[in-house]
Every structure is written in structure tokens, then in C-alpha cells.
Amino acid sequence: MDNAMFCYQCEQTAGGKGCVKMGVCGKTPEVAALQDVLIHSLKGIGYYGWQIIESGGEIDTPTYKFIMDTMFSTLTNVNFDPEHFVSYIQEANKIKSQLKAQLGNKAQSVPSAADYMAPSTKEEILRDAPKFSIMADESLDMDIRSLQQTLIYGFKGMAAYAHHSLILGKKDQEVGNFFFKGLAATLDKTLGVPELLGLCMELGKTNLKCMEMLDAANTSAYGNPEPNEVLISKKAGPFIVISGHDMKDLNELLEQTEGKGINIYTHGEMIPAHGYPELKKHKHLIGNFGTAWQNQQKEFDNLPGCILMTTNCLMTPRDSYRDRIFATSIVGFPDMPYIEEHNGSKDFTPIIKKALELGGFKEDEPERKIIVGFAHNAVLSNAGKIVEAVKAGEIKHFFLIGGCDGARPGRSYYTDFADKTPHNTLMLTLACGKYRFNYKDFGTVAGFPRLLDVGQCNDSFSAIRIAVALAEAFQCGVNDLPLTLVLSWYEQKAVAILLTLLSLDIRNIYIGPSLPAFFSPNVLQVLVEKFKVKVISTPEKDLEAILGANALKS
Ligand code: SF4
Ligand code: SF3
């Protein structure tokens, strides 16, 4: 195959336009091409699945699971292993044949793209792949392409949430059905800009439902998060660092390491685990190691313990820790040891053995701690106090500083922004962007820490729930609250969340550090004019615009 690839799905895309030779994330042209074929195959599955749903039929759980897992696997920094994608593509062929058989002779005007069957070997698939590259159809209107890709990326994000829910036994038919409807729509040449924009809003609404399901899945399995201090310094002894977003993997790992003299540290987006009663009850869930994903190569360098990657964000491992990093679930990297699931459970023995062999940290560091665990239940049990503090003028404004971190220098905006927020304001944080400033002491306001961490990107529902409850308490709309959303986007879960916020008609969202390359100028104009989306400028200018010139002095 030639070396061309095209991917512009994440914020760090090359030159702000698209990765064309090699992904900035480390994705190879081979993996990019296989992902293009997989996504194309999923569109065809979407077509047949939607026909079945429309004619009154149902989609079975294995097919639902396949869509969620495979879409999630194509998210940035999840899976770099060509072999995983070849087997997903082969499975997609089988599923499509089954759906065709299930539909029988009810199929109507089947678009030829829906009938695509990938060849069986990797070499043959790669020969086919250029036809399915994002830019393959040069005649496609740029706004249509932009909205089709926005839908696909929103689906990837929502697939991650649906995947996590399903792992904990929760599935939703409306959410599942919308995947088929939306994927089918990306093959429908009759849809114009208004229809595709409508589908993006429908995706946003469906994603809210999906995130609510995930919240219910997590809280019913592990209890409602409660404020808890987390150790962020090292303790002597063997250890395993668990990264990603999967609470079930963490729970199983905690159970299998109980009494074995191994400490478990969370990493990155796993830190909110320390708020869940059923997880924090394990004493050897000792603390959190390291910071956000983009620092992992430096932080894992020569680590005397093991790392388990349960989801994103994985970077190309350095040789100094290649022998001690493990993948599971939808994560993959060529030659990286992989922990399989058998009958709903996993055997972490190889990681446990290796962690004991490596011996761990030699001594304790001086203790440092931070607080996590302010999800909706913890915040809203204080709603009365918060409302009173706002009425008494003690809390003047709320900021939700949410989203992902990344390597771009422009991301220092969020730390500077947090530093410059006045003392009579309260900050809520979400996702991994908080690592840039969550170790700082921002003091208190009205008896609350000024920085309250709501959780992972997976907990965005919590933030929405808090905003809606505050709006009810003040008898106003969310847009009339003294609340500003300042978002940093990096990967496709942020796309799904942005669509959810827009579908709720939340205005004046600040977004950065740069805009998605897949938004065409016209699509961007709609976002700016209709939803008043704002691109970040400088913390001073933005804070002044939000609070007024005098507020900054307080
Ligand atoms: Fe480039 Fe991002 Fe695509 Fe990786 S995921 S290839 S960095 S656009
Ligand atoms: Fe972070 Fe990868 Fe998005 Fe879950 S872990 S927020 S970037």
C-alpha cells in the first residue's frame, strides 16, 4: 500500500489539519487504513441494523457490544495493534451477513457501500483501504463531510460510555438503536446540512441518556462517590499502576491483589476511583501515581512496578518499561502482553507476578494528598448551603473547567485561568485536564474547597446534573446561572460531550486550545452564531468578559 493516511479526529492532529504520514499519536498508516475499513464496515452494519429496527426487529447484545467495542477501539490513543483491527474487520463481515439474513427480503434500496465485504487477509484489506479514506471522495461537499465526521467522532465518544456501561451490565435500547440510525445516515447521500446537524443534536441528546446510564452503572456497582483524600506521593513496596477509565478492571485487580503485599495506584483518569465506597474500602488502593496521560513516557520510565492500561490514553511505550506494561479490553499495542476476559472475569496473575519481581519503590516519599469525590451526590447534598452562599454574595461565580489534557503549550491557558479566578468563585473540574492544576491549594470559599473534582470525563453527567439542579434551585435556566464552562478538548469523547451540551442549548461555552480540524468554516459559523461557542483567548480577557472588569480584582 502507499504510505498515505488521513486522520484529523483529535486536537493534536498534524499542523492543525490532518496526520498524513504518521499519526502524531503514533498511529501508523497501516492502523489508520485498517481503522478506515473498519469504520466503513460499521456503517454498513448500521444500515442493515437500522432496517431491522425500522421493520420492528431487535438487535442482539453481541452485535450491540461489537459496535461499542470496535468504535471505542478507534478512539485516539486506544489501540495501535493491526492484528486487533484485522480480526474486528473479519467479525464485521460475519455480523453483516447475519443482519442481512435477519432482514431477509425486507431490504430496501441498499446503497452499494452498505454491502461492502472486506477481503480476508490484512494485505488485501490494506489494498482496499484507500477507497475508504476520509478524503477519498474529493467531490463531497465540505460541510457534509464535516458533519458526517462530527457524527462519527461523536459516536466513538458515546461508544466509550456505552462500552463502560455494558461491562457493568447496563444496556439501553434507545442508545443502541441510535448507533444504527446514525451510522446508516452517514451512507445516505440524500441528507443535507440541516438533516446532519439535526442528527448531531440527536446524538448529543442520546449521549446524555448514555452518560446517565453509565452514572447509574458506576454508582450502583460501587456506591456514590464521596469526598476523600488521595495520596499522591509514593509508598515503599511492590505496586501496580492502573490507568484508563475502567472501574470494573480496577475492582477485579483490587480483589486479586488483596493480601499479596502489592499497592495499587490509580493513574490519569482513574483517580476518581478513590471516591467510590466499594473501591476505596480496599486499603491497598494506596494512592495515585503520576499525572495526565501525555506525561506517561517520562513518568513510567524505568518504573519499578507494572502498569495496566484499561482504556485510553496509551502512548508508544519506551523500552525502559515495555516489559512491564500490559493491555486489556479494547487497548492494544503490537507485542504488548494482553489480559483476556473469560466468562466475564480476568486473571491478572501475570501482572501480579511481575510486580512482585520488580520489587517496587524502595522508600516512602513525604506525604502529599489531594481531595477527590465531588460527584453530583456529594455536591448536591450541599446544594442548600451552596445556594445560600450564592444568595449571600459569598460565591459569585462557578466555573466548570473540564476536558482532556494534551501536549500543546496552549494548554497552560487552563492553569493560568484557574490561578486567576477570583477568590469568591468555585471551580468544578472534570477529566484529565485538571492534572495541570489540581495539586495547587486554591483555598476555600463559603466553607468549600475552591476546587471540587467531579470525576472522569465519563462523569460529565454529574456536572450536567449539578448545573440543572442549581438552575432549579435558582428557578432559572442553566444559561442564566452564574456558571461558565471552560472546556479543553483532545479526543472524541469530548466531541460527544460538546454535542450533548449544545443539544441542551447551553450557550457561551469556551473551548480550546484549538478548534477541531474537522469543523468546516460553515459548521463553525453555526456553532458560533447559534450556540455562541467561544474560542479561548487569554485567561485575563476571557475572565473579564465573563465576570466584568472589576470582578478580577476581588
Ligand atoms: Fe493524528 Fe490524532 Fe488521528 Fe492520531 S488520532 S493520527 S494524532 S489526528
Ligand atoms: Fe483524558 Fe485520554 Fe480525554 Fe477521559 S485520558 S479525558 S484525554
Side-chain angles (χ1 to χ4, degrees):
M1 76 178 263
D2 69 21
N3 241 9
M5 66 180 269
F6 187 85
C7 180
Y8 61 175
Q9 68 175 355
C10 82
E11 196 269 340
Q12 69 179 359
T13 195
K17 290 198 163 66
C19 294
V20 289
K21 289 205 174 98
M22 176 78 190
V24 174
C25 60
K27 181 156 84 179
T28 58
E30 185 180 58
V31 169
L34 293 169
Q35 289 186 352
D36 286 343
V37 175
L38 174 63
I39 293 291
H40 185 75
S41 301
L42 293 176
K43 290 177 183 177
I45 289 181
Y47 173 83
Y48 279 103
W50 184 235
Q51 295 269 316
I52 289 169
I53 294 161
E54 284 224 289
S55 58
E58 273 190 28
I59 303 296
D60 61 16
T61 301
T63 304
Y64 176 103
K65 183 175 183 312
F66 179 76
I67 296 269
M68 304 313 159
D69 291 358
T70 52
M71 287 213 95
F72 191 4
S73 73
T74 67
L75 206 108
T76 303
N77 289 336
V78 172
N79 199 316
F80 299 85
D81 191 345
E83 300 315 319
H84 279 225
F85 291 105
V86 171
S87 58
Y88 285 154
I89 291 166
Q90 288 163 346
E91 184 66 19
N93 278 349
K94 276 193 220 144
I95 290 181
K96 198 185 287 178
S97 303
Q98 283 161 8
L99 292 177
K100 278 171 94 165
Q102 189 179 341
L103 187 64
N105 54 11
K106 283 183 245 154
Q108 290 168 10
S109 54
V110 183
S112 58
D115 260 342
Y116 172 73
M117 283 288 178
S120 48
T121 69
K122 184 172 86 180
E123 289 63 34
E124 288 167 323
I125 298 171
L126 288 172
R127 271 200 290 277
D128 255 11
K131 287 190 278 189
F132 309 120
S133 160
I134 294 162
M135 295 296 172
D137 179 2
E138 285 176 9
S139 64
L140 188 63
D141 177 88
M142 69 191 294
D143 299 327
I144 301 285
R145 185 187 338 263
S146 172
L147 289 168
Q148 284 180 346
Q149 292 307 125
T150 304
L151 265 179
I152 294 288
Y153 303 144
F155 272 123
K156 291 187 182 195
M158 183 158 67
Y161 300 132
H163 160 100
H164 284 293
S165 305
L166 192 60
I167 276 180
L168 292 170
K170 292 222 189 292
K171 177 183 161 205
D172 183 271
Q173 203 178 359
E174 189 188 324
V175 171
N177 288 357
F178 186 67
F179 271 89
F180 295 93
K181 179 180 177 182
L183 285 169
T186 62
L187 291 179
D188 186 344
K189 294 206 164 93
T190 67
L191 301 183
V193 167
E195 290 84 6
L196 290 169
L197 265 175
L199 282 164
C200 286
M201 291 303 105
E202 201 177 336
L203 191 149
K205 286 210 171 73
T206 313
N207 185 49
L208 180 66
K209 192 147 199 248
C210 189
M211 289 194 298
E212 182 175 8
M213 165 168 75
L214 177 57
D215 183 78
N218 278 330
T219 53
S220 59
Y222 307 117
N224 268 305
E226 42 196 49
N228 188 20
E229 281 198 319
V230 182
L231 187 76
I232 54 167
S233 48
K234 298 168 189 163
K235 277 263 173 225
F239 65 92
I240 297 169
V241 170
I242 178 166
S243 189
H245 301 70
D246 198 306
M247 299 296 170
K248 183 162 182 260
D249 282 336
L250 172 60
N251 190 43
E252 266 191 281
L253 182 66
L254 285 167
E255 283 169 355
Q256 290 179 31
T257 46
E258 195 83 64
K260 293 209 164 78
I262 295 177
N263 288 327
I264 305 295
Y265 293 87
T266 55
H267 172 261
E269 279 282 78
M270 274 288 185
I271 193 171
H274 296 272
Y276 286 95
E278 285 303 308
L279 298 172
K280 72 185 169 83
K281 73 178 186 193
H282 296 274
K283 295 286 168 269
H284 64 301
L285 179 60
I286 201 86
N288 186 73
F289 173 81
T291 53
W293 67 271
Q294 84 280 359
N295 301 323
Q296 67 188 254
Q297 289 170 323
K298 200 169 61 201
E299 291 175 348
F300 294 164
D301 205 22
N302 290 311
L303 197 72
C306 289
I307 306 132
L308 173 64
M309 296 297 308
T310 67
T311 69
N312 52 323
C313 277
L314 171 69
M315 296 172 83
T316 307
R318 286 186 182 167
D319 287 346
S320 67
Y321 62 91
R322 270 205 86 122
D323 63 338
R324 56 201 72 176
I325 182 164
F326 294 72
T328 189
S329 184
I330 36 75
V331 182
F333 199 92
D335 301 324
M336 188 178 283
Y338 182 86
I339 307 287
E340 302 266 359
E341 184 190 270
H342 293 290
N343 303 323
S345 66
K346 294 179 183 176
D347 178 3
F348 293 113
T349 309
I351 310 188
I352 294 170
K353 268 182 150 166
K354 182 79 186 172
L356 290 170
E357 222 176 274
L358 288 166
F361 296 124
K362 293 275 172 283
E363 52 194 44
D364 290 357
E365 274 183 345
E367 278 200 355
R368 283 175 296 130
K369 289 183 172 178
I370 57 172
I371 301 187
V372 300
F374 292 94
H376 58 83
N377 192 271
V379 173
L380 294 179
S381 59
N382 285 296
K385 244 176 103 185
I386 294 174
V387 170
E388 284 315 308
V390 175
K391 286 188 177 153
E394 286 176 72
I395 300 177
K396 287 276 193 225
H397 205 88
F398 299 88
F399 294 99
L400 173 70
I401 309 182
C404 316
D405 205 354
R408 252 182 229 277
R411 289 184 182 269
S412 60
Y413 169 94
Y414 299 92
T415 315
D416 297 342
F417 190 96
D419 278 339
K420 290 191 164 61
T421 53
H423 297 295
N424 54 11
T425 61
L426 199 146
M427 292 177 271
L428 299 168
T429 55
L430 257 185
C432 64
K434 61 178 168 259
Y435 275 107
R436 296 220 169 205
F437 53 89
N438 69 345
Y439 59 91
K440 295 187 174 206
D441 184 2
F442 291 98
T444 58
V445 59
F448 296 98
R450 280 196 56 234
L451 187 150
L452 302 180
D453 182 43
V454 180
Q456 299 179 330
C457 61
N458 290 22
D459 300 311
S460 303
F461 175 73
S462 241
I464 293 171
R465 182 102 192 257
I466 292 168
V468 170
L470 287 178
E472 276 166 16
F474 288 107
Q475 296 180 329
C476 67
V478 171
N479 289 320
D480 305 315
L481 281 173
L483 164 73
T484 308
L485 278 68
V486 187
L487 305 183
S488 52
W489 90 282
Y490 170 67
E491 35 81 334
Q492 300 77 51
K493 291 194 241 180
V495 178
I497 294 166
L498 180 66
L499 294 176
T500 296
L501 295 172
L502 298 181
S503 75
L504 290 168
D505 208 20
I506 294 178
R507 308 282 171 101
N508 297 312
I509 299 170
Y510 283 77
I511 183 164
S514 62
L515 285 166
F518 53 84
F519 283 168
S520 66
N522 288 335
V523 168
L524 190 59
Q525 201 181 344
V526 171
L527 298 183
V528 171
E529 282 176 8
K530 186 160 187 250
F531 298 103
K532 310 280 180 259
V533 169
K534 294 176 175 15
V535 185
I536 59 166
S537 63
T538 65
E540 294 81 0
K541 273 193 204 153
D542 293 345
L543 276 164
E544 200 174 306
I546 296 163
L547 300 172
N550 290 329
L552 279 186
K553 299 193 184 92
S554 56

